Amino acid sequence: MTRIPFCPCEYSFEYSKKTSLWRVLPFAALLSGATAITAQAAPVTAKSADKFVDSMGIATHYQNTDGLYANFDANIKGRLQELGVRYVRTDTATSASNRATLIARARSLGQAGIKSYLIVESRKSNGVYNTDTHTPQEVVQMLKDIGPQFCVVEGPNEPEHSNDAWRFFYNGYEWPNLQGIRDFTRDVYNAVKSDPATASVPVLPASMLSNGAQIGDLSTHLDFGNLHTYPTGEPPVGLFFGDNLNNARQISGSKPMVCTETGYTTAQNPNGTGFKGVPDDVQAKYLARVYFGFWNRGLTRTFVYQLLNPTTGSPTDIQAHYGIIRGDGVPKPAFNTIKNITSILKEATFNSSTQSWNAPSFSPGNLDYSLVGDTTNIETTLLQKSNGKFYLALWQNAESYAIWRDEYNMDCASGNCGFDSYRVNVPTRRLGIVINGSRVT
């Protein structure tokens, strides 16, 4: 086997039943957390490779017009087309003078095959209702101005972060009174669904970090659940994921789930508190695992936070380094990892006349395979294209970076606290793949 760049002990393979040939794919990481496999007792049913690509999204703030956001065509639209994702997420709380820019940008992306998840808010700023936010009726009008076919509506972003500068407020209820969240979710949903022009637009609730059980089941007023979960520098689908998912399910019930925020900062803050930064190459490995891990756990779509670093910023500023493109416009390794995944697995083409992605219709088949050798912590995802070729993503679910110094008895008093002090030697595993009873690798 050949090691894939940026992804120690992680591989992807292409297999064709017609020729019975495997090919190691030369691109960075197809990874992340499915069920560990020791041997297959029965053939495995693949999933559509293009549907996996369709599950990949990226968070932005393209309503902004400063810094890299000023050059929308090159730094936003152009980079998104290069990246190959079909969904973006952005805020809509913006000044009236800038709202026309937001609408024009959303429409431009939609016409290029990139649909927007639009976060709608109802807030007070320093005790006064913020007119930069939206009433339910204004949400409907915004969808019409953009083009409903280009939009998904998402409720307020993490109301738990309310403070004096901005605080969730609706119908006379001010955070932390949860009735305002319930009323806003219901009223936005009803307004969107009652207008024939926008009735087909999907609606998500607020992204709640907690309080799911206290808010209660709102599934009759939403189309998808809304999950936020951050691994805080740990490997994906580990710390907090289960609790965060359960919290979101308290609101959405059995509705399909979308993760609208997750990610890794590359801030150099090993001695900091809270979220820990990881090196650029580890961010690339982990974000690929995020997409595959969340897909394997049944999520409809996953948005990585975020496309751009807002500024070059201090190297220790956590918020300034979540982007897969640096503040100077240079892509990080994670950008190329995601680009490689989409470019190899995609099949659909965008029809500008119908404003839709068209992928071949087929039912993915089964592949009778098993792994032999040291399969400790080895995980997989099996995908297939309409031409019959299978794509097997294979990786080791192992920590690539030790974010918690004390667990590894590392002493930073000497000042030797750079990223290299925390790297982990991932064990080498020798594996073979058996197809229809014959070993092929």
Side-chain angles (χ1 to χ4, degrees):
M1 294 184 187
T2 301
R3 179 171 291 181
I4 304 298
F6 306 129
C7 306
C9 301
E10 295 153 346
Y11 311 91
S12 58
F13 298 88
E14 178 187 85
Y15 176 73
S16 172
K17 280 188 175 180
K18 294 179 181 179
T19 60
S20 298
L21 292 177
W22 282 86
R23 180 167 66 92
V24 180
L25 297 176
F27 67 102
L30 286 183
L31 321 126
S32 202
T35 302
I37 294 174
T38 54
Q40 295 299 147
V44 179
T45 301
K47 294 184 178 180
S48 165
D50 193 76
K51 286 184 178 179
F52 174 77
V53 173
D54 200 61
S55 77
M56 302 170 69
I58 193 84
T60 70
H61 295 281
Y62 73 67
Q63 82 283 359
N64 292 342
T65 57
D66 57 344
L68 291 178
Y69 287 104
N71 190 342
F72 170 76
D73 286 338
N75 295 332
I76 308 300
K77 184 177 180 179
R79 286 300 194 187
L80 288 170
Q81 290 176 308
E82 182 183 357
L83 193 63
V85 297
R86 303 168 190 169
Y87 295 89
V88 295
R89 177 179 186 257
T90 197
D91 304 315
T92 62
T94 185
S95 64
S97 61
N98 198 42
R99 191 155 293 169
T101 299
L102 166 70
I103 290 169
R105 289 180 171 187
R107 186 185 301 118
S108 176
L109 290 174
Q111 291 169 343
I114 303 170
K115 185 174 286 191
S116 293
Y117 278 57
L118 302 168
I119 306 166
V120 296
E121 301 275 3
S122 181
R123 296 175 178 171
K124 276 184 174 181
S125 294
N126 298 311
V128 179
Y129 179 71
N130 188 333
T131 57
D132 290 356
T133 59
H134 294 86
T135 66
Q137 293 71 33
E138 289 170 338
V139 171
V140 171
Q141 187 58 53
M142 177 180 65
L143 297 177
K144 292 179 179 179
D145 292 341
I146 294 170
Q149 69 273 26
F150 302 144
C151 304
V152 176
V153 172
E154 179 187 338
N157 183 72
E158 299 180 358
E160 291 94 338
H161 289 316
S162 291
N163 53 49
D164 288 340
W166 65 267
R167 183 177 299 275
F168 181 82
F169 175 82
Y170 184 71
N171 262 8
Y173 297 105
E174 183 174 332
W175 182 268
N177 191 316
L178 300 177
Q179 189 58 43
I181 296 289
R182 300 185 191 101
D183 289 353
F184 190 67
T185 302
R186 178 199 64 217
D187 291 351
V188 168
Y189 182 87
N190 288 342
V192 170
K193 299 301 180 180
S194 63
D195 192 311
T198 61
S200 63
V201 175
V203 178
L204 281 69
S207 51
M208 304 299 301
L209 300 177
S210 58
N211 295 293
Q214 290 77 15
I215 289 174
D217 188 347
L218 300 178
S219 59
T220 57
H221 294 105
L222 54 89
D223 297 304
F224 294 88
N226 191 352
L227 169 67
H228 279 197
T229 183
Y230 280 87
T232 65
E234 297 277 3
V237 200
L239 194 65
F240 306 129
F241 178 84
D243 289 342
N244 294 156
L245 181 59
N246 181 64
N247 177 71
R249 288 261 179 240
Q250 302 300 311
I251 299 171
S252 61
S254 61
K255 292 293 180 69
M257 185 66 66
V258 174
C259 177
T260 59
E261 264 193 44
T262 188
Y264 289 87
T265 180
T266 57
Q268 299 180 32
N269 64 330
N271 284 325
T273 59
F275 289 16
K276 301 288 187 176
V278 298
D280 287 358
D281 60 325
V282 174
Q283 182 195 45
K285 301 173 194 177
Y286 281 176
L287 288 184
R289 295 188 205 177
V290 160
Y291 282 123
F292 279 86
F294 289 15
W295 162 269
N296 286 337
R297 284 159 176 79
L299 271 65
T300 299
R301 186 160 292 116
T302 297
F303 287 80
V304 161
Y305 186 84
Q306 62 174 330
L307 180 67
L308 301 174
N309 285 349
T311 64
T312 51
S314 164
T316 61
D317 184 343
I318 294 172
Q319 291 297 325
H321 295 282
Y322 275 100
I324 59 173
I325 298 175
R326 298 185 179 94
D328 59 3
V330 177
K332 295 181 187 177
F335 182 94
N336 294 318
T337 293
I338 298 168
K339 174 183 173 181
N340 287 337
I341 292 171
T342 62
S343 64
I344 287 181
L345 294 178
K346 68 180 180 182
E347 282 201 275
T349 56
F350 184 68
N351 186 322
S352 58
S353 298
T354 61
Q355 302 292 327
S356 62
W357 286 94
N358 299 325
S361 178
F362 78 107
S363 297
N366 298 328
L367 184 64
D368 188 355
Y369 80 93
S370 60
L371 304 181
V372 295
D374 185 356
T375 59
T376 305
N377 294 327
I378 300 298
E379 303 183 3
T380 66
T381 299
L382 182 66
L383 303 169
Q384 189 181 30
K385 286 188 176 181
S386 61
N387 62 7
K389 288 184 178 180
F390 290 90
Y391 293 77
L392 177 65
L394 174 66
W395 67 96
Q396 184 175 179
N397 186 23
E399 185 178 48
S400 299
Y401 186 70
I403 61 166
W404 301 109
R405 181 184 68 254
D406 292 343
E407 293 183 10
Y408 295 86
N409 299 314
M410 293 181 179
D411 179 13
C412 289
S414 64
N416 184 26
C417 284
F419 276 141
D420 287 342
S421 300
Y422 295 79
R423 291 189 180 275
V424 174
N425 292 322
V426 180
T428 299
R429 310 276 182 208
R430 299 186 64 85
L431 295 173
I433 301 176
V434 176
I435 302 292
N436 296 325
S438 299
R439 182 163 178 158
V440 295
T441 65

